Amino acid sequence: MFKTHNYALATYKKGGVYTGFIADEKDTNKIIYGAKYYKKAFLSKTYDMMPKDMPQECMFTNANFLVVDKHVVDEIGQLSIEYKHGGADWDYGMRALKAGFPVLTTYGICGVSVNDHILYEHESEKVLKMNLKDRRAYLNKPQREYHDAFVFFKRFDYPKYIMMKIAYFLNLYMPRLFYKLQSIRP
């Protein structure tokens, strides 16, 4: 983190927001938390970034390992309290960028953690077996992040917000169609 901070000072003449990569403790080649790049388009998409031998500009930060320069906090404040579980860190990176601060990854991996993410295939099997009441409860859990995605995309990409609302509706009321459409998405 200090090397990244020094890089920001030398390159951008100011401090910024720095996100560290976290690898799976069982497979350190697999990044489970880190940075993302976001491409706005009709079917906008996030791209996972991988560690390199120097900091990289990114758009979405991950607060599992995040350092923020005091000047950033002084100008844009703390993480937003509108989010329940995830999204405040993405929001923070985007707000910092908008305010003209560098948002960077670290040079490499900063730590390891247990990978507790459910595989997409297992999640779809699980959701398809649920009745409507259980599916609603599952999809509205803070970890599912629909609420947080709604807040984030309404703020930064309104067309994607509309798409997320449609996706939520389909996942709740027509999950088979939702997962079929997900499987053909580029």
Side-chain angles (χ1 to χ4, degrees):
M1 283 294 184
F2 291 114
K3 282 175 64 176
T4 303
H5 180 65
N6 290 335
Y7 174 87
L9 293 176
T11 307
Y12 302 94
K13 308 301 183 224
K14 60 178 147 181
V17 177
Y18 321 121
T19 187
F21 291 101
I22 305 295
D24 183 342
E25 72 177 1
K26 293 180 181 166
D27 180 3
T28 56
N29 291 317
K30 182 177 181 182
I31 301 300
I32 56 174
Y33 297 109
K36 295 181 184 288
Y37 183 81
Y38 181 67
K39 183 175 181 183
K40 274 189 177 182
F42 176 68
L43 292 175
S44 51
K45 188 172 173 124
T46 58
Y47 297 91
D48 292 329
M49 297 176 73
M50 298 300 291
K52 294 191 176 177
D53 58 355
M54 65 180 295
Q56 306 166 71
E57 292 181 354
C58 64
M59 298 173 88
F60 292 172
T61 56
N62 187 280
N64 288 68
F65 200 129
L66 189 70
V67 171
V68 180
D69 185 271
K70 180 185 180 323
H71 295 100
V72 178
V73 177
D74 289 345
E75 186 164 329
I76 70 171
Q78 300 284 335
L79 294 173
S80 172
I81 60 169
E82 293 179 73
Y83 297 91
K84 293 181 180 180
H85 177 74
D89 45 4
W90 286 17
D91 177 283
Y92 202 79
M94 295 293 280
R95 287 191 295 141
L97 281 173
K98 191 174 183 178
F101 291 100
V103 178
L104 304 169
T105 67
T106 55
Y107 280 83
I109 295 172
C110 293
V112 294
S113 180
V114 174
N115 185 358
D116 61 355
H117 298 109
I118 186 169
L119 292 175
Y120 181 77
E121 299 80 28
H122 296 148
E123 181 178 52
S124 62
E125 291 169 12
K126 182 178 179 177
V127 170
L128 288 171
K129 291 178 185 174
M130 294 177 185
N131 63 36
L132 178 61
K133 180 182 174 187
D134 293 340
R135 199 165 42 249
R136 178 177 283 118
Y138 178 76
L139 294 177
N140 289 321
K141 289 169 89 174
Q143 301 90 326
R144 290 295 310 130
E145 299 183 22
Y146 268 107
H147 169 272
D148 293 345
F150 294 155
V151 171
F152 180 84
F153 289 111
K154 190 173 186 180
R155 183 175 287 168
F156 294 105
D157 186 352
Y158 195 79
K160 179 72 172 188
Y161 165 74
I162 299 300
M163 299 289 286
M164 291 297 298
K165 284 287 196 176
I166 293 167
Y168 174 79
F169 176 87
L170 290 174
N171 203 355
L172 181 60
Y173 295 106
M174 296 180 259
R176 292 198 189 292
L177 177 60
F178 172 81
Y179 289 109
K180 184 172 185 160
L181 291 171
Q182 287 287 4
S183 69
I184 60 173
R185 184 177 179 213

